[in-house]
Amino acid sequence: MPGTTIASVTTLTPERPALYAPSRAARELGLKRYEFDLAVELGRIRVVSDEGSGGRRVARTEIARLQAQAGFPQTLRERVRVVGTKEGASLMRVSEGRFARLARLGLLVPVRFYLNRYRAVVWLYLAEELREFVANGEHADLITGRTPETLRSQLAAGLDLRPRNWRGRHLGFLLRQAEDPWARAGAIAAFLPSEEIAEIVKITYERARLDRLRPPLPEHGAPGSPSALLGEQIMTAQDADEIAWLSADLARQLEATRAPWSTPSRVSSQRDHAARRPGVRRVPTPAVPRPPAPAAPADIATTRARSDIPVSTPLPRSDHGPGATTARPPRGLLTWLRRRSPRSTPVGDHTRGT
């Protein structure tokens, strides 16, 4: 109808969030959730802390960076692909026995483990790392040749570095996520026996705080079940040298948690905060005296011409003492007239002509 204004309705497309939750980020990247978690642990996907929820998020720019890579998403999924002993041996073209020996010697580091229905430990390895091991020419003798006698004797003695290597790898992941000394101390304490922690941490409130900050480790079965106890044994340091190393590192981190309270910047900030509190009188800090600057030579004429600088009247000289001098005659008008008079010329003064 004439004169009728029809308001146009604009459909607004919801803006994509700047940060993605882990589940949403995994869908955007075409990964399963366990693949996404492993990619974060390995540093393949960068995450940031969400100040609102305190959890981990993935920035939209990081999603775009990964999607722009060549071969996405197959290349990303291949970088986090894990294999067991049978598939890993087939990938390396060795027997399963040789593959297991290489892993027990610590030459192949697992990234995951789980317990099967028979409560047997199944170790998982990165396929990418296995290919790199084969491509390294220095490992040719270990792959195709005879195992050296020293290594065979270690295997005969029961050497198995797979649990220790997994603990070291997982500890590195937890330390990369930690943001302060307390969080790093909690990550280290997660792999130490409880009696060792009680021996190191003597203060009760520090031990309680450390227990709260210990990150949860992978669970295997119901708490108290045989599977859970076996998993806890794998996740706890067993060797004496490993326990000693973790204990020393834990002690260092605890010292780092106490250090900020004694630094000069922290002390000065505490003083400033106390001075701003009502009813607290601030004690001024004495200033350090500075050496006097050398005085510039004074120009008397310039000093007298400046009206903004007061000039004190000189004190009269005394007639006694080492500084005493003969008083000068007055220089008034009468003295000038006397000097002009011939009578005032002293006898023997022939400086003037007649």
Side-chain angles (χ1 to χ4, degrees), residues 350-354:
H350 300 287
T351 58
R352 296 179 182 271
T354 54

Side-chain angles (χ1 to χ4, degrees), residues 2 24 33 38 78 108 159 169 212 249 309 320 341 347:
R24 171 73 182 276
R33 183 55 191 269
L38 181 58
E78 187 62 27
L108 305 177
L159 177 66
R169 190 165 206 165
R212 292 195 304 268
D249 205 4
I309 301 179
H320 305 281
S341 174
V347 178

